[in-house]
Amino acid sequence: MSDGPAEKITVVVGGGVAGLNCANYLNRKSIKFQLLESSDGVGGRMRTDCVEGFRLDRGFQVFQSGYPEAKAILDYTKLELVPVIPGALVRKGSKWVRMVDPIRCPSSAIGTVFNSIGNLGDRVKLARLLWDVWRTPLEHLTTAAEDKSTRELLTDDYRFSD
């Protein structure tokens, strides 16, 4: 039999960004809490793993700087946030070649169209692929009957070059 009421402890489920911020808030208010995390470390999708000397970011994060809660909690100056250009750097031989989404970044369209990745036919095929994606309802994109790899889709269905 206990001598009094049990001490209340707030349970925070998940050690991702939201859970860590919740735990930080509770700590500042001197509220007792227990943080539960199912993986081997905290950070959730915004985590960096070190594998054989390489730093690998998990997932893909795009930070929406307009969120009021983020503005209240985070020091944007210390984070040194930078805008992200929609696209990718592709390694070709010993050089990096920039591929940029010309729809979202029209100023980079000329450089992307005339770079050394693929050929003119691939650009036409890419336009067709984009058109197909835009006109297909999301529920159809996520419930495709066939389970194909991206490579199979691009080579078999759209006939992209190697």
Side-chain angles (χ1 to χ4, degrees), residues 24-138:
N24 186 38
Y25 174 83
L26 294 169
N27 188 55
R28 286 194 319 262
K29 299 288 185 182
S30 299
I31 298 171
K32 293 190 180 217
F33 67 92
Q34 181 172 9
L35 177 67
L36 303 178
E37 171 55 46
S38 64
S39 73
D40 62 349
V42 297
R45 289 182 296 168
M46 296 183 85
R47 176 176 167 182
T48 301
D49 294 313
C50 291
V51 178
E52 296 179 15
F54 292 94
R55 295 170 59 95
L56 306 171
D57 291 330
R58 270 189 201 191
F60 176 74
Q61 304 86 35
V62 176
F63 178 69
Q64 304 296 337
S65 59
Y67 288 145
E69 188 66 18
K71 286 180 180 180
I73 292 173
L74 302 172
D75 182 341
Y76 287 6
T77 304
K78 284 185 181 176
L79 287 174
E80 299 178 11
L81 301 174
V82 296
V84 176
I85 296 171
L89 287 174
V90 178
R91 186 77 170 176
K92 186 166 184 186
S94 62
K95 296 185 179 183
W96 289 103
V97 180
R98 185 177 302 275
M99 294 289 293
V100 178
D101 180 348
I103 304 298
R104 293 188 288 165
C105 193
S107 63
S108 299
I110 299 296
T112 294
V113 168
F114 293 107
N115 70 24
S116 61
I117 302 295
N119 56 44
L120 183 58
D122 287 331
R123 274 126 180 101
V124 172
K125 293 166 189 167
L126 183 58
R128 181 180 151 227
L129 174 62
L130 289 172
W131 174 253
D132 288 349
V133 169
W134 283 336
R135 68 186 177 95
T136 303
L138 181 60

